[in-house]
Amino acid sequence: MNGILTKQIKSGCLVMFALLHAFYILPALSARDASSYKYAVVISSGACSDAGWKAVADSLVKKHGDRGNARIFTWQTSVNDVKSGLSDFRPDYIGYIARPETECNSAFVVAVSRLSRQLDDDLYGDAVWGIITGFEAADAMRAVSESLTVKTVLCASGNLSHEPPIQRFYQAVGMTCDDVARTDYLFPDRSGRIYTENRRPYGEQDRIKIVSRWLNEESLDFQIAGQGSIRGPIDCIITGGHGNVNLWQCHYPEPGIEGYMRSSAGRLFGSPYSGDNISISVPTPKVFWCLSNCLMGNPDNKNNIVYAAFHTGHAVQMFGFVNNAAAGNEFMAWGVYDRVTKSAGKYTLPEGFFLSNNNAQFELRHPTGQMNTSQVRIYMDSTVFYGDPAGDVCFEGFGDSAKAYKEELTFVENGSGGADFTYTVTMVAHDLEFGVGYCYQFRPISLLPVRIDPLTVNITGNDGHTADITDNLLVWEMLSKGERLQKGSTRTLKWTAELIDDVTGAVRGVSEKPAVKKMNIVSLRNGSQTLLRGSPVLEDETALRVFDNSGRLLCKSKIPAGNTCWQVRVPNVLAAGVVLVVIEKNGAALCSDAVMVR
């Protein structure tokens, strides 16, 4: 898998270090970079004959073909029909298009989950995947076409963790599942500090009335005197309490004096404890994250939550359980949640799902005795991500200082078709002790920046223990029973391996390195946009790409030719910190610069 967790940009100096040593593989900085990722669109022949669903497939091919290499794979009787073709293609992402109920059902979820681990000889996942569906084809088309940066989160049945310097979200509201009063607030610029009141917004005890109201609003404008304000649309709703295929019970363990969210015929509605039902028709894009509920990800009936979320719920992505949640779900519930939110902005939701799934596989292969593994394998194949796995949906990030730990994965090619890899983990927020929490949320796991031949792996340094390294993935048992990594301490894993040409599958030979140039690039905030300005004159039209400090492609644009200086507008305001700006012509990097956004 090329380029999801690659050379991380920690400062301008590290950026230039990486460029000087391995610049000609810079496109591997992000799986969304045009020269670095492959996207497989998998669809049934029946869906292909339906104009609406075929248009979804064509849209995905166009979208990801413009950024990388995208191809359609069609199955006749079973999704496993495409296994051989996918194995040859070696995709980084797989979008499984499935029509509601008839194709998208619990058996299909299990089938694609297993198929996504069976594209080569190792036991681990081979591509980040998602199921693209909706109550109707138009829902799927809208979902794969929209972008979203998650800033405002509603933890509708859960409190907000107070653990500075970790900052999980930009701003959030949390309402505990077993209380009708306590409400937590995370206001912007509070470095993860939580303010709690023993009172619900508007003095309302039945949270379903609050949730329904907020989902229906274009934007919140909620203020607590002397504390702070939350403004902007709800971008992500995280559910808790009890779940069923067409129902979310927000209170736990009993329903108490609070109501439900229900679904029917593609529509969401609030069903309060008292009063009339509340129709829910969401105006802005949402992530529905049913992180620990039973059955809310179940797609077996068109009346289920899944289809309503993508229809009137305006979902762009969704995560949920297909079956009942119980003991053994730590990896696929809290593992996904903690890996995504405790490294805010680093992983997308499908990436967090993929990494946690493979971490569960490692636990099964190398049991620690810390986990109840009897149902771990079941949950690996009965949790599901819905949406475009390479979609333009990410969580707001705050840099390494707001994370539990930081990682660096670098490599230097040695001139003979191989490379020397170095992976380091440094604890930032607290000490790390081996135990249950370490196993499901902190065990280091990373996608590799380039494909390697796993048979040639030679571990040259290991401060930890067992390491499983595949062609695209690293899982490292950094700690063992009784060990602790103190805050500020670092452990390192080093190895060498031969590189694989991602086109031919052969060991890659030496290629000529282009010269590294530098441009004078500055940033300027302007309302809801960030302007990037630079010089010198460019003789031909070129492409500009901006990467964040985790290697994720933030945006791309074009620079017109012939100007004494140039200026481009970035669609969203960039977070403060160092970004890498790369100028390319015909897919080849011409120059780059580390830019401080203030």
Side-chain angles (χ1 to χ4, degrees):
M1 164 95 39
N2 287 344
I4 292 182
L5 306 180
T6 72
K7 302 181 294 298
Q8 293 195 21
I9 307 162
K10 302 303 174 186
S11 68
C13 294
L14 181 56
V15 169
M16 298 313 297
F17 172 87
L19 292 171
L20 290 169
H21 283 75
F23 185 80
Y24 63 105
I25 51 175
L26 179 62
L29 271 171
S30 172
R32 293 171 180 78
D33 181 20
S35 61
S36 69
Y37 81 93
K38 293 181 178 181
Y39 191 105
V41 179
V42 176
I43 186 171
S44 72
S45 57
C48 254
S49 65
D50 183 307
W53 291 100
K54 178 61 162 60
V56 177
D58 291 340
S59 175
L60 286 167
V61 170
K62 175 64 168 64
K63 173 182 177 181
H64 296 293
D66 287 346
R67 305 174 182 182
N69 184 1
R71 187 183 303 174
I72 292 179
F73 296 82
T74 305
W75 57 271
Q76 300 289 330
T77 59
S78 165
V79 70
N80 289 299
D81 294 346
V82 299
K83 179 179 178 181
S84 177
L86 290 177
S87 296
D88 292 338
F89 185 55
R90 297 192 307 280
D92 301 304
Y93 297 101
I94 306 174
Y96 295 99
I97 296 175
R99 292 176 291 180
E101 189 175 337
T102 57
E103 293 175 347
C104 185
N105 50 50
S106 53
F108 186 80
V109 172
V110 173
V112 301
S113 178
R114 292 175 178 173
L115 175 61
S116 302
R117 293 196 300 267
Q118 296 172 350
L119 304 184
D120 58 24
D121 293 333
D122 63 66
L123 299 173
Y124 292 98
D126 302 307
V128 180
W129 62 272
I131 295 177
I132 296 161
T133 191
F135 187 74
E136 56 191 23
D139 300 329
M141 178 65 84
R142 175 198 52 73
V144 303
S145 302
E146 293 186 306
S147 60
L148 176 65
T149 298
V150 175
K151 299 183 73 172
T152 308
V153 175
L154 173 58
C155 294
S157 283
N159 65 311
L160 301 176
S161 298
H162 178 86
E163 48 186 341
I166 297 171
Q167 184 165 351
R168 294 179 186 260
F169 312 114
Y170 174 76
Q171 57 186 12
V173 180
M175 295 182 280
T176 54
C177 63
D178 57 353
D179 200 318
V180 295
R182 176 179 165 173
T183 307
D184 297 335
Y185 297 92
L186 171 62
F187 298 113
D189 303 320
R190 293 295 181 89
S191 301
R193 291 176 174 82
I194 308 301
Y195 171 73
T196 299
E197 282 194 339
N198 195 34
R199 179 181 181 273
R200 285 279 164 78
Y202 320 116
E204 177 62 65
Q205 288 187 319
D206 189 347
R207 90 191 69 188
I208 203 63
K209 293 182 179 180
I210 303 171
V211 171
S212 300
R213 171 178 173 174
W214 283 355
L215 290 179
N216 279 328
E217 290 183 351
E218 287 276 356
S219 179
L220 299 185
D221 191 352
F222 190 80
Q223 184 173 3
I224 296 180
Q227 297 298 328
S229 60
I230 293 178
R231 295 184 173 90
I234 295 290
D235 299 315
C236 174
I237 177 172
I238 300 176
T239 62
H242 276 309
N244 209 324
V245 295
N246 60 352
L247 175 147
W248 166 52
Q249 176 190 308
C250 55
H251 202 87
Y252 181 89
E254 302 299 329
I257 58 172
E258 299 191 83
Y260 304 86
M261 181 186 291
R262 301 180 187 271
S263 64
S264 179
R267 295 189 172 277
L268 290 176
F269 59 94
S271 180
Y273 180 77
S274 62
D276 296 334
N277 288 340
I278 305 168
S279 178
I280 297 175
S281 184
V282 180
T284 59
K286 299 281 185 286
V287 173
F288 281 73
W289 194 344
C290 310
L291 68 89
S292 62
N293 297 108
C294 301
L295 298 166
M296 287 181 69
N298 186 289
D300 289 342
N301 189 290
K302 287 191 72 174
N303 289 313
N304 289 4
I305 289 280
V306 172
Y307 302 114
F310 281 94
H311 193 55
T312 67
H314 207 134
V316 290
Q317 293 183 347
M318 181 177 180
F319 172 87
F321 280 71
V322 174
N323 59 358
N324 286 305
N329 72 358
E330 291 88 354
F331 290 96
M332 303 317 304
W334 307 111
V336 179
Y337 178 69
D338 286 329
R339 286 197 182 264
V340 173
T341 65
K342 284 191 175 182
S343 295
K346 183 174 183 178
Y347 307 122
T348 64
L349 181 54
E351 289 167 0
F353 172 50
F354 177 84
L355 292 173
S356 294
N357 196 296
N358 283 288
N359 184 34
Q361 181 75 284
F362 184 92
E363 182 72 26
L364 293 173
R365 189 170 186 229
H366 307 285
T368 61
Q370 299 291 308
M371 313 298 297
N372 178 357
T373 59
S374 61
Q375 292 184 306
V376 168
R377 186 172 298 280
I378 294 174
Y379 290 118
M380 288 174 61
D381 295 328
S382 60
T383 44
V384 57
F385 169 81
Y386 294 104
D388 182 355
D392 299 315
V393 180
C394 62
F395 285 73
E396 184 83 358
F398 314 100
D400 281 338
S401 63
K403 295 179 172 62
Y405 63 92
K406 67 177 182 179
E407 302 164 276
E408 293 179 6
L409 176 52
T410 61
F411 68 98
V412 179
E413 297 198 25
N414 57 27
S416 59
D420 301 323
F421 294 81
T422 301
Y423 178 67
T424 61
V425 175
T426 303
M427 291 308 301
V428 173
H430 51 69
D431 292 355
L432 177 62
E433 184 177 2
F434 180 83
V436 173
Y438 159 84
C439 293
Y440 72 75
Q441 66 172 309
F442 287 122
R443 176 185 290 129
I445 180 169
S446 174
L447 282 155
L448 302 183
V450 287
R451 286 190 184 270
I452 64 173
D453 180 356
L455 297 179
T456 67
V457 169
N458 178 35
I459 295 177
T460 57
N462 187 351
D463 292 340
H465 305 280
T466 303
D468 281 2
I469 304 175
T470 72
D471 65 317
N472 66 343
L473 185 72
L474 159 70
V475 192
W476 182 30
E477 195 71 287
M478 182 177 65
L479 302 179
S480 66
K481 188 174 182 179
E483 289 185 334
R484 177 189 295 266
L485 183 62
Q486 293 184 335
K487 178 180 177 180
S489 297
T490 296
R491 288 201 177 189
T492 301
L493 177 69
K494 297 182 178 181
W495 73 97
T496 62
E498 292 182 347
L499 304 179
I500 297 295
D501 187 308
D502 203 37
V503 176
T504 67
V507 174
R508 194 165 79 191
V510 179
S511 59
E512 183 180 355
K513 300 181 182 180
V516 178
K517 302 178 182 179
K518 189 174 182 179
M519 300 188 75
N520 178 31
I521 304 174
V522 298
S523 69
L524 175 67
R525 292 184 185 274
N526 180 24
S528 62
Q529 295 178 322
T530 298
L531 302 179
L532 293 176
R533 294 175 178 173
S535 60
V537 175
L538 298 168
E539 296 179 356
D540 302 299
E541 182 178 87
T542 52
L544 174 144
R545 297 178 186 275
V546 181
F547 299 89
D548 69 8
N549 66 354
S550 66
R552 178 173 294 112
L553 181 65
L554 298 174
C555 65
K556 65 177 182 178
S557 186
K558 291 182 179 179
I559 302 174
N563 294 332
T564 55
C565 62
W566 52 263
Q567 174 177 294
V568 298
R569 296 179 181 271
V570 180
N572 299 306
V573 174
L574 299 178
V578 175
V579 296
L580 176 65
V581 180
V582 180
I583 309 296
E584 298 175 341
K585 178 182 176 182
N586 297 326
L590 297 176
C591 46
S592 67
D593 205 353
V595 179
M596 176 62 73
V597 178
R598 301 184 186 278

